[in-house]
């Protein structure tokens, strides 16, 4: 492999450089800081679009830096990676706007935005990694970059949450490290997509490969919040809303889920994984997590915690889809990467806006909030319906494909799990919607922020509406070419061709 | 039994005595003396070999090494002694208090 | 007969070493240490290592012994571990405490015993490597001196010797550092006793001459820079004791020059020849003899000065008022 | 020749005797002053005899001179040391006696 | 060996620092610092130039006095020595610059510790001499130079605690070097040579060689604070002045490791048995766990860092079992040796940079607050972001998170562990990382916590912070030239003979 383009590096740089620069700024240079942030975000989106277009034309973008014999830092562009990178970068742009609004007047904003940029660098790096080592490097980098954001508030609660977060993620990283080295020793440098390497080892080293698979799974499962490694996620919801929104609904957990997809499809190959019976345990675990997360969500009164448990449940859809052999289920899993992302980010934005505007953190306080913040709660409601799986919103599409895939694979129990989960989703989300729209407000609350004629600050409002619309559009236009679903199908089909 | 053989065995004994002394003795000065005894053992070993390898005269290289070694050992021991005395002046302690 | 002498001497050495560490009183330890050093020096004479014997007697037993003796003034003389143990037996603090002390000691003792056995086996079985006598003999004519030990010290392995002179200077610096005080304080004035002063005055030229003789004789036989340096150093120490603090009367720069001359000249000479294209410390055979003599002389002066200063400074420490603890 | 050797042996033996006596004195005498006496007087005498014996034994007059000078130096050193130690002890004793008699 | 190209650099690398140190004695305190700093910069520059020279020419030698071994002494600068000298140069220059500002800031109150400069130059010369030396006895002299100057530096602060720790350190160091020298005596007796290159050819296995190896290893373990002998390190390193602590932990302990590595690889290949390697590995493993745990339990910043050194040095010991053939492994392919070797060198470098930065940062904190309680970071994050950043970056390297030098070292170590089939070391490596993460983040999390009360705060020179930060970054930057460095290092004599002895000693390792 040779370096063919520096563009992948540039994509990383578009958030890394602003991140470092922001760190060097003074705390009070907020205009320049925002400019750098937005400039980086826009640059990243455009670069990814440019690369995506080039990729579709058949160009190759590979960046290779050899660290040592057999140890290569490789960035390469493939459809799955681009898919994830696009999701990250677009949502970063949106979230940056939201964060600027959310943190207005807060403390330590320099630190916040710097690490925010570093996070997205890590996330994009994960998407564009060409091999296991590079993936691991960014995976750990993500841990480090998110930690300051989790403890951003600096309260004892936040610091303790940060500690829990670290124990889990560093532990996961350590286990993953073991797996990565093991894989290198066993199979040499494995680039994503070179499934033939593992396939050639299967006859001799089957037990080692099986152990390695589960070591990897344990490492990745921490970030993907698969039961029993999920406890950090609800705890770390103490972070500011944009952080929870982007990182804990999109970047961190998705990094884990994305890793599982890479592991099964691009390292082991679906054929090998199926042949070695590696997928059934994963499917069972994922299914259990789906139900478990939903049930736990039922009993949370804290708004963000309920969302967090919902995330635990929803992300495991991806793992479940990966674990069911078949194009349809795979497509469902991959598209859920996007769909869950945009729906969940909408919800977190909404929760954050409510908390910032009226100081409501508990669900029991939300009575009548829909009348005061109709646009925000409208977007929220859209996302809720999507989560439950009502057509034509995005969530329906993923669940439909997952269900079809399960039927195709003959795993009817999965369908039951999906139905049960939908019912539970409805059970814990609909009360919120009900309270927001149909309950009378308990007593008059005054908005904590000045927002003119709008229901809240413009920078808090626009992102919610945009992502809400996204989730609607992703469902409505699912059949069109260029929609997330169509791309996901293409990706899935490629995996099965190999 | 040749001369050098007697001394070479002595050298091992001295070395072990010195080593034991460094660990077991408590007073600073005794510890320092123990290091010198240890060194004495080592140097005796060198010089015994020199006598064994003698032609018209004994092997000069170990002699030179030992002279160098003695001077180096004494320089270290003098430094250790200075430190020990300094510690005694500052604290009145004559041995490592938290030792064993 | 000769084996018997060696055997007795060996046993005596070991006995002295043991007693030195086991002695009840610290002063006994120090005196036994002198005796140990002399016994060792005798052993070296028996092994034909006259140079080493002089060095041992002068530096290891003599100089170091003087330092220990001087240190006795500091430490309370009666303290020793045996006495402490006695006290512990008289009124035992608790059985567990003595037990917990006994067990690790027993283990350590056993370990040392085992180690001793292995060590004895190892030294006994040492194969005959042949040494470097032949090589040294072959190259001796090119070295510029006739005494092989001097040839090795100042020419074949001049690098080691140079570093060693550095170590002495370093030791002096280290002692300054241990004092935790500024550089170069003036040595104090010692007790004045008329007889002592007379004896010192009388022996100074004798020692000086003897040192110079040893230095010059090093070219052909046992002797050389280190042995001479110790004698000269002894002059310095005695003068200091007699109330003539030599380095206090010299101007500061001169004192420093004397201290560093040996190391510096040795190196500068080496660099000069290196600039000519030779290796460091490579002397042309024709001039090697005279160059070595100069280097040795300067080295001896520096070492003597360093030994004097080391003694003076260690001696000085107790008079120094307690330093204010500096915050890190 | 014979006589010379006999004299040498006798001198050495006498020297050894004085050394032995001196050492015994150091070990057995009660206080510092008498010990010092034994150590310096008897041992110096012993050393003198041994030196004389050795000087007689060695033919070269230069070597004999060296041995004699060794003896002289030792004499000088030991008597000075003896004096210093005794004086030190005396100085130590005086205030002590003044304070606590007996 | 004597037909290699000759170069003046080895001689200059040892000679110049000592010359400057000697010269500096003639100056008054202020001048000492100026001359000393100049000398440090000069020596550092020289070290880097020498590194480049070796990169271009390959191994160079300097035959001292023109006398060939075995009678004479040979200075040899191969790639391993060059890399260590280069590392010392970079770390040394940064620490020197730091020390310059550090002591200048305290000149008024403490007299600026002018003795630091000559002692540090002596130490530097000793280190260079050690890396260059090719002679067993000369190695002894250099470790004594290092040991004495290191202890002298450690007690420089004049604090009682430092002096007690210093005496303990000194006694341990003397014992260690005497044990080493005993081994040297036995080897000289059984072979009649002290030159490493010649020894490899003539040394034969036997009771004496084994015992010599035992005492040499024992002595060097004491000197590098290997597990059962680590007792002297934490008090000595934590009570010294900040630049001194950095020097001691970053460079001094590495000297003994360097000798051990070279002797095991280059000389003793014949008599090393599998169980000997396992024993050292075990000591290393215990050190990793124990040291990290102890670090976790400490309350002052410098003690945490000092205990962490014990653990990090444990990793160095853990490469030794990998230098030997395990039973049941074919001797034909020694493919685990290369990763183990790289792991050792990289761990040394990463630890040198990271730990130096850590100690320098601790010094800054003490300067600013007057104490170094582990909670001190709580109040500093907003005032000294650069220092907190340095601690963070250095900490990440210590943990071994990618893409730091520490990560690279652990990667190679794990790879070697798996390739050689000695998988039982793997959990230790991982547990060590995990525990390290524990104490590093114990410190770092406070940086993000809200400050409770405002403590009196003295501003510190910016230069100090920059030095610490750059050193921390260094622990990451060393990964960039990794591929070249690995190749370069594998051209060294020690590695070649290590491979050779594994290939030849295939049966010997199997007992």
């Amino acid at each position: 492999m040779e370096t063919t383009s520096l563009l992948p590096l540039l994509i990383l740089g578009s958030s890394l450089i602003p991140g470092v620069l922001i760190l060097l700024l003074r705390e009070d240079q907020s205009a320049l800081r925002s400019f750098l942030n937005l400039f980086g975000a826009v640059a990243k989106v455009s670069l990814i679009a440019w690369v995506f277009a080039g990729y579709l034309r058949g160009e190759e973008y590979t960046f290779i830096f050899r660290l040592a014999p057999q140890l290569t830092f490789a960035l390469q562009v493939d459809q799955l990676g681009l898919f994830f990178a696009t999701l990250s970068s677009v949502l970063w742009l949106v979230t940056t706007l939201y964060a600027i609004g959310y943190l207005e007047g807060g403390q330590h904003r320099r630190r916040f935005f710097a690490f925010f940029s570093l996070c997205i660098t890590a996330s994009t790096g994960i998407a564009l990694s060409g091999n296991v080592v590079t993936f691991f490097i960014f995976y750990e980098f993500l841990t480090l970059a998110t930690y300051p954001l989790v403890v951003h508030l600096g309260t004892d609660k936040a610091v303790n949450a940060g500690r829990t977060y670290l124990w889990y993620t560093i532990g996961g990283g350590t286990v993953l490290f073991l797996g990565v080295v093991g894989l290198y020793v066993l199979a040499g440098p494995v680039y994503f997509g070179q499934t033939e390497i593992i396939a050639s080892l299967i006859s001799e080293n089957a037990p080692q490969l099986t152990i390695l698979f589960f070591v990897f799974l344990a490492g990745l499962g921490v970030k993907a919040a698969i039961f029993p490694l999920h406890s950090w996620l609800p705890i770390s919801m103490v972070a500011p809303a944009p952080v929870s929104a982007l990182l804990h609904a999109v970047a961190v957990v998705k990094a884990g889920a994305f890793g599982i997809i890479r592991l099964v499809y691009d390292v082991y190959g679906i054929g090998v994984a199926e042949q070695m019976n590696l997928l059934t345990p994963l499917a069972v675990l994922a299914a259990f997590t789906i139900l478990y997360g939903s049930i736990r969500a039922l009993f949370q009164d804290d708004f963000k915690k309920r969302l967090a448990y919902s995330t635990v449940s929803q992300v495991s859809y991806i793992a479940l889809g990966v674990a069911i052999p078949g194009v349809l289920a795979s497509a469902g899993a991959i598209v859920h990467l996007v769909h869950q992302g945009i729906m969940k980010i909408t919800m977190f934005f909404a929760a954050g806006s409510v908390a910032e505007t009226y100081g409501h953190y508990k669900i029991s306080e939300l009575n009548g909030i829909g009348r005061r913040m109709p646009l925000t709660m409208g977007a929220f409601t859209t996302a809720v319906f999507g989560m439950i799986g009502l057509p034509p919103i995005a969530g329906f599409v993923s669940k439909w494909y997952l269900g079809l895939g399960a039927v195709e694979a003959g795993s009817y129990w999965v369908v039951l799990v999906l139905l049960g989960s939908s019912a539970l989703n409805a059970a814990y989300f609909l009360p919120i919607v009900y309270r927001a729209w149909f309950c009378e407000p308990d007593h008059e609350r005054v908005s904590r922020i000045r927002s003119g004629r709008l229901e809240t600050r413009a920078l808090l409002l626009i992102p919610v509406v945009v992502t809400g619309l996204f989730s609607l559009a992703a469902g409505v236009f699912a059949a069109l070419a260029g929609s997330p679903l169509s791309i996901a199908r293409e990706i899935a089909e490629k995996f099965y061709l190999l | 039994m040749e001369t050098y053989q007697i001394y070479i065995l002595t050298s091992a004994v001295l070395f072990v005595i010195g080593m034991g002394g460094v660990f077991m003795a408590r007073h600073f000065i005794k510890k320092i003396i123990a290091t010198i005894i240890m060194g004495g053992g080592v140097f005796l070993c060198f010089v015994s070999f020199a006598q064994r390898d003698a032609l018209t005269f004994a092997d000069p290289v170990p002699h030179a090494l030992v002279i160098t070694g003695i001077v180096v050992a004494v320089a270290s021991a003098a430094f250790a002694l200075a430190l020990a005395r300094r510690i005694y002046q500052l604290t009145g302690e004559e041995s490592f208090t938290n030792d064993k | 007969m000769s084996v018997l002498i060696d055997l007795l001497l060996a046993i005596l050495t070991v006995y002295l070493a043991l007693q030195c560490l086991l002695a009840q009183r610290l002063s006994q330890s120090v005196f036994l240490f002198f005796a140990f050093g002399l016994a060792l020096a005798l052993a070296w004479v028996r092994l034909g290592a006259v140079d080493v014997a002089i060095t041992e007697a002068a530096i290891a037993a003599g100089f170091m012994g003087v330092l220990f003796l001087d240190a006795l003034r500091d430490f309370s003389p009666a303290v020793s571990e045996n006495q402490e143990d006695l006290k512990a037996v008289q009124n035992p603090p608790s059985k567990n405490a003595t037990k917990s002390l006994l067990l690790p000691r027993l283990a350590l003792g056993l370990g040392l015993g085992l180690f001793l056995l292995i060590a004895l086996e190892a030294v006994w079985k040492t194969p005959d490597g042949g040494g470097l006598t032949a090589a040294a003999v072959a190259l001796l004519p090119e070295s510029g001196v006739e005494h092989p030990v001097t040839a090795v010290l100042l020419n074949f392995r001049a690098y080691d010797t140079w570093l060693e002179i550095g170590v002495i200077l370093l030791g002096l610096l280290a002692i300054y550092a241990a004092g935790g005080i500024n550089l170069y304080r003036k040595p104090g004035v010692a007790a004045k006793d008329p007889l002592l002063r007379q004896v010192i005055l009388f022996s100074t030229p004798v020692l000086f001459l003897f040192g110079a003789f040893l230095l010059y004789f090093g070219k052909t036989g046992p002797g050389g820079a280190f042995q001479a340096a110790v004698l000269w150093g002894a002059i310095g120490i005695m003068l200091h004791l007699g109330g003539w603090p030599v380095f206090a009367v010299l101007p500061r720069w001169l004192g420093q020059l004397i201290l560093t001359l040996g190391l510096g000249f040795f190196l500068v000479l080496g660099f000069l020849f290196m600039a000519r294209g030779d290796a460091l410390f490579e002397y042309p055979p024709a001039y090697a003899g005279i160059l070595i003599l100069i280097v040795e002389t300067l080295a001896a002066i520096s070492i003597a000065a360093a030994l004097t200063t080391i003694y003076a400074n260690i001696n000085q420490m107790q008079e120094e008022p307690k330093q204010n603890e500096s915050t890190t | 020749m014979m006589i010379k050797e006999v004299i040498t042996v006798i001198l050495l033996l006498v020297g050894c005797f004085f050394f032995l006596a001196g050492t015994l004195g150091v070990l057995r005498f009660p206080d510092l002053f008498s010990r010092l006496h034994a150590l310096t007087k008897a041992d110096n005498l012993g050393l003198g005899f041994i030196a004389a014996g050795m000087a007689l034994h060695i033919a070269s007059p230069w070597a004999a001179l060296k041995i004699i000078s060794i003896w002289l130096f030792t004499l000088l050193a030991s008597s000075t040391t003896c004096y210093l130690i005794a004086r030190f002890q005396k100085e130590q004793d005086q205030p002590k006696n003044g304070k606590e008699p007996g | 060996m004597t037909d290699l190209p000759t170069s003046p650099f080895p001689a200059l690398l040892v000679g110049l620092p000592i010359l400057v140190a000697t010269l500096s004695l003639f100056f008054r305190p202020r001048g000492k610092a100026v001359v000393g700093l100049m000398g440090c910069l000069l020596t550092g520059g020289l070290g880097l130039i020498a590194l480049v020279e070796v990169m271009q020419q390959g191994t160079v030698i300097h035959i001292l006095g023109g006398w060939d071994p075995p009678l004479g002494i040979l200075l040899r600068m191969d790639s391993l020595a060059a890399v260590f000298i280069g590392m010392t140069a970079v770390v040394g220059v940064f620490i020197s610059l730091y020390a310059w500002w550090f002591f200048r800031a305290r000149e008024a109150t403490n007299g600026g510790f002018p003795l630091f400069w000559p002692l540090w130059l002596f130490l530097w010369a000793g280190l260079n001499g050690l890396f260059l030396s090719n002679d067993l006895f000369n190695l002894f002299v250099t470790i004594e130079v290092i040991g004495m100057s290191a202890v002298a530096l450690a007690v420089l602060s004049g604090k009682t605690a430092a002096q007690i720790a210093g005496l303990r350190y000194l006694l341990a160091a003397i014992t260690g070097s005497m044990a080493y020298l005993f081994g040297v005596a036995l080897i000289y007796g059984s072979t009649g040579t002290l030159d490493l290159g010649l020894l490899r050819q003539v040394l034969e296995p036997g009771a004496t060689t084994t015992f010599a190896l035992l005492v040499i290893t024992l002595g060097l373990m004491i000197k590098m604070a290997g597990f059962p002998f680590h007792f002297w390190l934490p008090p000595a390193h934590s009570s010294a002045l900040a630049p001194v602590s950095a020097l001691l932990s970053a460079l001094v302990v590495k000297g003994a490791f360097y000798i051990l590595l070279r002797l095991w690889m280059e000389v003793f290949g014949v008599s090393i048995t599998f169980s000997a390697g396992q024993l050292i590995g075990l000591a290393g493993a215990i050190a990793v766990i124990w040291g990290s745990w102890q670090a976790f339990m400490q309350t002052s910043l410098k003690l945490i860092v000092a205990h962490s050194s014990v653990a990090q040095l444990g990793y160095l010991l853990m490469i030794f079992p990998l230098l030997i053939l395990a039973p049941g492994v074919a001797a034909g392919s020694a493919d685990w040796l290369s990763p183990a070797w790289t792991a050792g060198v990289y761990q040394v470098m990463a630890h040198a940079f990271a730990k130096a930065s850590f100690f320098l940062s601790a010094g800054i904190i003490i300067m600013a607050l007057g104490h170094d309680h582990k909670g001190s970071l709580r109040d500093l994050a907003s005032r000294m972001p650069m220092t907190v950043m340095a601690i963070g970056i250095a900490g990440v390297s210590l943990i071994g998170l990618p893409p730091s030098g520490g990560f690279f070292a652990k990667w190679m170590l794990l790879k070697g562990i798996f390739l050689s089939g000695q998988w039982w070391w793997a959990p230790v490596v991982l547990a060590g990382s995990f525990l390290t993460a524990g104490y590093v983040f114990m410190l770092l999390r406070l940086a993000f916590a809200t400050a409770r009360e405002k403590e009196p705060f003295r501003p510190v020179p910016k230069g100090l912070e920059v030095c610490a930060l750059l050193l921390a970054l260094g622990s990451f930057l060393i990964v960039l030239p990794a591929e070249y460095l690995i190749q370069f290092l594998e051209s060294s004599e020690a590695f070649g003979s290590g491979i050779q002895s594994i290939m030849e000693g295939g049966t010997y390792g199997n007992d």
Side-chain angles (χ1 to χ4, degrees), chain E residues 159-443:
Chain E
K159 283 195 298 182
T160 312
Q163 289 184 323
I164 294 176
L167 182 57
R168 203 186 286 262
Y169 181 8
L170 183 60
L171 285 172
I174 298 176
T175 314
S177 37
M178 282 307 160
Y180 168 82
L181 195 59
F182 195 41
V184 174
L186 291 176
I187 289 174
Y188 180 79
S190 51
T191 60
T193 178
L194 293 163
D195 184 75
L196 298 188
L198 297 172
L199 271 177
R200 187 170 77 246
Q201 297 156 19
V202 295
L203 197 66
E204 279 171 12
T208 310
T209 313
T210 311
F211 182 75
L213 174 70
L214 175 75
V215 280
I216 285 180
T217 309
L218 205 69
L220 294 176
M221 288 267 281
I222 295 176
K223 289 223 142 200
M224 72 176 282
F227 169 64
F229 309 112
H230 63 281
F231 54 88
W232 57 265
L233 187 142
H237 284 193
S238 60
S239 60
L241 297 163
V244 175
S245 305
L247 287 176
L248 295 184
S249 57
L251 303 174
V252 172
V253 282
K254 309 294 162 44
F257 168 74
Y258 175 84
I259 306 182
L260 206 56
L261 184 69
R262 269 191 72 177
L263 292 185
W264 274 54
M265 296 279 278
E266 213 174 314
V267 178
F268 281 108
V270 287
S271 52
I272 290 173
T273 61
F274 181 65
S275 40
Q278 293 294 306
L279 212 60
I280 293 198
L282 186 68
I286 298 173
V288 168
I289 305 292
W290 173 255
S292 305
W293 179 249
Q294 283 296 312
F296 197 65
M297 305 303 288
Q298 302 302 319
T299 51
S300 92
L301 188 54
K302 282 186 108 177
L303 271 174
I304 293 175
V305 188
H307 279 279
S308 137
S309 286
V310 174
Q312 295 288 324
L313 293 170
Y315 283 117
L316 290 180
L317 292 179
M318 282 180 69
I319 72 159
F320 285 97
L322 307 180
L323 305 180
I324 306 157
L325 196 66
V329 176
S333 69
D335 54 355
W336 68 88
L337 194 64
S338 164
W341 162 262
T342 314
V345 179
Y346 259 89
Q347 173 68 15
V348 166
M349 291 201 286
H351 180 244
F353 281 98
K355 199 45 75 63
S357 163
F358 230 124
F359 267 124
L360 296 186
S361 307
I364 295 172
I365 290 173
I366 292 173
M367 213 175 197
L369 293 182
H371 68 85
D372 70 337
H373 189 265
K374 70 175 176 183
S376 49
L377 277 180
R378 181 183 273 270
D379 309 312
L380 281 186
S382 53
R383 284 166 174 160
M384 297 207 268
M386 253 208 284
T387 301
V388 174
M389 197 79 178
I391 292 183
I393 295 175
V396 164
S397 179
L398 286 183
I399 301 171
L401 292 179
S404 63
F407 160 74
F408 193 72
K410 291 200 176 86
W411 170 277
M412 284 299 176
L413 185 60
L414 272 184
K415 193 173 168 190
I417 283 170
F418 282 126
L419 281 176
S420 70
Q422 302 181 30
W423 49 265
W424 49 88
W425 302 117
V428 179
V429 178
L430 299 180
S433 285
F434 201 57
L435 283 170
T436 313
Y439 61 77
V440 168
F441 282 106
M442 177 176 78
L443 295 173

Side-chain angles (χ1 to χ4, degrees), chain B residues 52 59 76 86 90-91 98, chain E residues 137 144 160 163 168 188-189:
Chain B
R52 183 195 64 185
D59 189 350
S76 320
R86 185 81 193 154
L90 290 174
T91 65
N98 51 348
Chain E
F137 186 79
E144 282 291 290
T160 312
Q163 289 184 323
R168 203 186 286 262
Y188 180 79

Side-chain angles (χ1 to χ4, degrees), chain C residues 91-293:
Chain C
N91 44 349
S94 76
K95 269 192 175 174
N96 289 340
T98 37
K99 229 180 202 174
S100 66
L101 203 77
L102 195 67
L103 206 66
R105 291 208 163 184
L106 202 68
L108 200 60
L110 273 178
L112 280 176
L114 194 70
F115 187 76
L116 177 61
L117 288 181
I118 308 172
L120 285 176
E121 192 210 357
V123 294
W124 188 251
K125 282 188 178 166
T126 311
D128 193 343
L132 290 170
T133 323
V137 171
L139 290 174
L140 193 56
E142 293 173 45
S143 71
V145 289
E146 288 147 50
H147 185 51
V149 178
T150 310
V152 175
L153 268 177
L154 271 307
N155 204 339
F156 300 146
R157 294 182 73 93
Y159 177 56
D160 271 349
T161 310
W162 172 70
L163 274 178
E164 172 199 359
I165 298 172
V167 168
I168 296 175
L169 185 62
L170 182 58
L172 180 60
L173 293 179
I175 287 168
Y176 284 133
I181 47 166
N182 292 335
L183 262 178
Y184 304 123
R185 57 217 150 115
K186 309 221 184 262
V189 180
K192 282 180 185 163
D193 186 284
L195 180 68
L196 180 66
R197 287 168 69 99
Q198 283 308 314
V199 171
I200 289 170
L201 277 186
F202 169 73
S203 44
T204 298
V206 178
L207 279 176
F208 178 78
L209 272 181
F210 189 43
F213 166 75
L214 268 183
L215 182 67
Y216 185 73
F217 192 63
K219 194 176 171 185
T220 48
F226 291 105
Q227 292 86 342
V230 184
L231 282 180
W232 290 351
I235 299 177
I237 293 174
M238 289 204 318
L239 288 176
H240 180 90
L241 282 173
W244 295 281
V246 197
F247 279 85
V249 294
L250 293 179
R252 212 177 65 107
W253 65 268
L254 191 60
Q256 282 152 6
L257 187 68
I258 292 176
L259 277 172
T260 53
L261 198 59
L263 186 72
F265 180 76
F266 208 153
L267 182 66
V268 169
L269 191 69
F271 276 160
L272 279 181
F273 282 107
M274 220 170 101
R276 251 184 35 158
D278 294 340
L280 188 64
F281 303 129
E282 182 168 357
Y283 308 128
Y287 303 103
I290 183 74
L291 286 177
I292 286 176
L293 191 64

